[in-house]
């Protein structure tokens, strides 16, 4: 003790040396533990050791065999991206829906460049960029973690409505994806100068869809109809033809009459074939949807609409009558509607003579050009 009091520096040195010794001993013990654990994990299979230089695990475990590396990588990376068994069906995740959607249609200011430099409605080029993760042709194969219960063909009759199409594509993709559905957007464009024949475009779209894939539900969708609520689930009903519209801004958020089926109408394949598709004889604006309603009744189907009216709510982009789609002569329309049921089995899908002139697959949609 006297020696300690006499040599305080020596005491300090002794304390420091014993401290270092304790620290070193601790590390070597820990190291042994790590090695022991590693040896255990590799089950003595030390010949197969590989040195992983870039791995984040190298700091902890300088030497690693293939199995333990694979195990660690599996645990750390694959588990995050792990897809659930594909047999699991996708259901609508109501919690992920937004409900009411505030639309920015800005019809009187379309094609304006906004303060952020964006052209509104977004250009096709921009849409192709934002939807570049879709399979070309506007094909969405559903969420990764489940298998879609239904594959939808969204069929859009089209001509001279480029701006409406840009709005439509901008809003429809996120909505359908939030509803966790598989779908393909097929825009059927009349590729001639004749009067617009919507029925022929719809039927051609149906036949084209059948030629490219296996769809369970065909949704005939006007290009200017934009949903205001994503709780309006796009769907078909097996026993009924589904009309997804109760409220349209154009009609003060009503529908003009109960049997009105304009806008968005959904058929199963069997239903559409049974009614023989749309009549092909309505050239110009009006009548083809009332004709379809007669076909639906005649084949014994009923209409289905969503239970809650306020979710089946749409805005129709304001527009004037299209130059190449004049209103059908009233007398002709009355005659056609009068003979609708007697013509049903000979006028429609089975009498269609259209020529497909082109198919263009944009990332955001498939454009099918058709001569009427
Ligand atoms: N349509 C088109 N070009 C035309 C006429 C009609 O693309 O020249 C398509 C478009 O999808 C439109 C639908 O046919 O939404 C119904 O026509 P329109 O909007 O004139 O009928 P509305 O329901 O407004 O009376
Ligand atoms: Mn319209």
């Amino acid at each position: 003790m006297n020696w300690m009091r006499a040599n305080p520096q020596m005491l300090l040195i002794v304390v420091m040396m014993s401290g270092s010794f304790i620290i070193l001993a601790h590390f070597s013990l820990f190291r042994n533990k790590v090695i022991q654990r590693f040896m255990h994990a590799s089950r003595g299979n030390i010949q197969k050791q590989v040195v992983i230089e870039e791995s984040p695990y190298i700091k902890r475990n300088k030497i690693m065999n293939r199995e333990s590396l694979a195990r660690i990588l599996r645990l750390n990376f694959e588990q995050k991206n792990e897809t659930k068994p594909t047999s699991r069906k996708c259901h609508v995740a109501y919690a992920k829906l937004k409900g009411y959607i505030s639309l920015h249609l800005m019809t009187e200011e379309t094609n304006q460049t906004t303060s952020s430099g964006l052209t509104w409605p977004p250009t096709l080029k921009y849409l192709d960029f934002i939807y570049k993760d879709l399979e070309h042709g506007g094909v969405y194969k559903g969420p990764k973690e489940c298998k879609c219960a239904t594959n939808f063909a969204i069929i859009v009759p089209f001509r001279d409505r480029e701006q409406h199409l840009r709005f439509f594509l901008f809003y429809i993709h996120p909505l359908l994806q939030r509803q966790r559905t598989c779908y393909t957007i097929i825009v059927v464009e009349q590729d001639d100068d004749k009067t617009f024949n919507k029925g022929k475009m719809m039927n051609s779209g149906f036949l084209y869809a059948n030629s490219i894939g296996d769809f369970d539900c065909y949704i005939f969708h006007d290009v200017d109809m934009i949903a205001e609520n994503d709780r309006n689930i796009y769907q078909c009903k097996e026993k009924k033809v589904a009309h997804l519209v109760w409220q349209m801004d154009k009609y003060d958020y009503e529908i003009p009459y109960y049997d009105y089926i304009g806008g968005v109408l959904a058929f199963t394949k069997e239903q559409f074939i049974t009614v023989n598709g749309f009549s092909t004889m309505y050239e110009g604006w009006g009548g083809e949807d009332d004709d379809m309603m007669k076909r639906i009744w005649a084949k014994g189907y009923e209409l289905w609409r969503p239970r809650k009216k306020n979710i089946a709510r749409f805005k129709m982009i304001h527009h004037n009558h299209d130059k190449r789609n004049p209103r059908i002569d009233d007398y002709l329309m009355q005659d056609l509607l009068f003979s609708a049921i007697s013509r049903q089995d000979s006028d429609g899908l089975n009498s269609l003579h259209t020529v497909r002139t082109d198919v263009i697959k944009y990332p955001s949609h498939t454009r099918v050009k058709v001569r009427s």
Side-chain angles (χ1 to χ4, degrees):
M1 283 305 198
N2 288 345
W3 171 81
M4 279 186 201
R5 240 176 262 134
N7 301 287
Q9 291 97 332
M10 280 303 282
L11 174 67
L12 193 67
I13 289 167
V14 169
V15 169
M16 278 172 68
M17 277 177 69
S18 52
S20 320
F21 177 76
I22 290 167
I23 291 168
L24 276 172
H26 177 82
F27 266 102
S28 74
L29 254 176
F30 179 66
R31 226 179 103 77
N32 275 344
K33 264 193 206 155
V34 170
I35 289 169
Q36 270 167 24
R37 227 184 284 152
F38 166 62
M39 298 268 284
H40 178 73
S42 63
R43 294 194 183 92
N45 193 2
I46 298 186
Q47 282 90 340
K48 278 192 187 170
Q49 282 174 354
V50 283
V51 177
I52 315 296
E53 243 135 34
E54 298 301 319
S55 160
Y57 306 99
I58 192 78
K59 286 183 193 123
R60 259 193 289 144
N61 241 343
K62 281 222 175 225
I63 304 168
M64 204 176 279
N65 72 1
R66 284 179 203 282
E67 283 96 326
S68 53
L69 173 71
R71 187 168 50 80
I72 289 172
L73 290 181
R74 222 176 16 249
L75 280 175
N76 283 279
F77 294 111
E78 284 179 20
Q79 214 165 31
K80 283 186 202 143
N81 306 325
E82 195 192 328
T83 50
K84 289 173 199 154
T86 46
S87 59
R88 206 179 127 166
K89 282 206 169 154
C90 298
H91 295 289
V92 178
Y94 283 92
K96 292 198 174 153
L97 297 177
K98 284 179 193 279
Y100 177 76
I101 304 160
S102 154
L103 303 174
H104 300 282
L105 300 176
M106 290 172 26
T107 46
E108 63 291 345
E109 296 166 48
T110 46
N111 254 346
Q112 297 293 306
T113 304
T114 62
S115 52
S116 56
L118 185 75
T119 305
W120 195 253
T123 59
L124 268 192
K125 221 172 163 187
Y126 181 75
L127 289 165
D128 286 348
F129 174 72
I130 57 175
Y131 297 127
K132 65 182 185 306
D133 292 339
L134 295 178
E135 287 190 24
H136 266 222
V139 181
Y140 180 62
K141 292 258 168 88
K144 278 198 191 103
E145 69 276 10
C146 54
K147 203 173 167 214
C148 290
T150 313
N151 192 15
F152 291 90
I154 311 289
I155 297 170
V156 184
F158 176 80
R159 189 172 68 183
D160 302 335
R161 298 279 190 106
E162 213 59 49
Q163 289 199 349
H164 293 189
L165 182 62
R166 282 153 54 189
F167 278 124
F168 175 76
L169 293 170
F170 180 77
Y171 284 113
I172 193 91
H173 281 292
L175 179 134
L176 291 174
Q177 290 179 24
R178 280 202 299 278
Q179 295 186 356
R180 292 151 66 84
T181 55
C182 290
Y183 63 83
T184 302
I185 309 271
I186 300 169
V187 175
V188 194
E189 180 172 7
Q190 186 166 326
D191 186 23
D192 57 35
D193 279 329
K194 293 189 200 160
T195 302
F196 194 64
N197 190 317
K198 191 174 157 189
K200 282 189 180 175
M201 295 307 110
M202 307 282 228
N203 292 347
S204 304
F206 177 82
L207 294 181
Y208 173 77
N210 274 331
S211 75
I212 57 156
D214 201 9
F215 296 99
D216 324 285
C217 182
Y218 299 79
I219 301 198
F220 296 90
H221 206 307
D222 282 3
V223 73
D224 55 12
M225 291 284 283
I226 316 286
E228 279 189 78
N229 196 312
D230 63 4
R231 289 178 188 273
N232 188 12
I233 307 300
Y234 279 55
Q235 59 189 297
C236 275
K237 292 282 171 189
E238 216 167 291
K239 300 258 163 64
K240 297 184 179 185
V241 174
H243 185 230
L244 302 180
V245 186
W246 271 117
Q247 302 184 336
M248 282 170 74
D249 64 340
K250 181 183 176 182
Y251 302 112
D252 294 327
Y253 288 112
E254 299 279 340
I255 45 172
Y257 46 96
Y258 185 82
D259 292 347
Y260 172 82
I261 51 165
V264 188
L265 193 62
F267 292 87
T268 64
K269 190 185 285 185
E270 192 191 314
Q271 289 166 354
F272 199 69
I273 290 172
T274 305
V275 300
N276 196 21
F278 283 86
S279 166
T280 61
M281 299 184 72
Y282 293 80
E283 279 170 356
W285 184 90
E288 82 294 327
D289 43 4
D290 293 328
D291 184 292
M292 173 52 90
M293 189 64 235
K294 287 176 179 265
R295 288 172 178 239
I296 291 169
W297 289 125
K299 295 295 174 186
Y301 293 119
E302 284 176 30
L303 264 195
W304 177 90
R305 289 199 185 96
R307 204 164 47 83
K308 287 188 183 163
K309 288 193 179 183
N310 62 338
I311 60 160
R313 183 180 170 97
F314 285 82
K315 276 206 159 98
M316 198 192 81
I317 302 169
H318 297 294
H319 60 81
N320 300 322
H321 269 288
D322 303 87
K323 284 193 195 90
R324 296 192 285 176
N325 192 31
R327 197 186 157 92
I328 295 187
D329 174 80
D330 276 349
Y331 290 110
L332 175 60
M333 197 195 292
Q334 271 172 28
D335 280 354
L336 285 171
L337 285 172
F338 188 73
S339 60
I341 295 172
S342 59
R343 284 192 340 271
Q344 175 165 22
D345 293 327
S346 57
D347 162 29
L349 267 184
N350 64 1
S351 68
L352 191 71
H353 289 291
T354 49
V355 180
R356 196 185 300 154
T357 53
D358 206 357
V359 176
I360 307 164
K361 295 203 173 185
Y362 295 93
S364 60
H365 68 285
T366 298
R367 183 85 63 106
V368 184
K369 298 197 174 190
V370 172
R371 223 169 270 155
S372 63

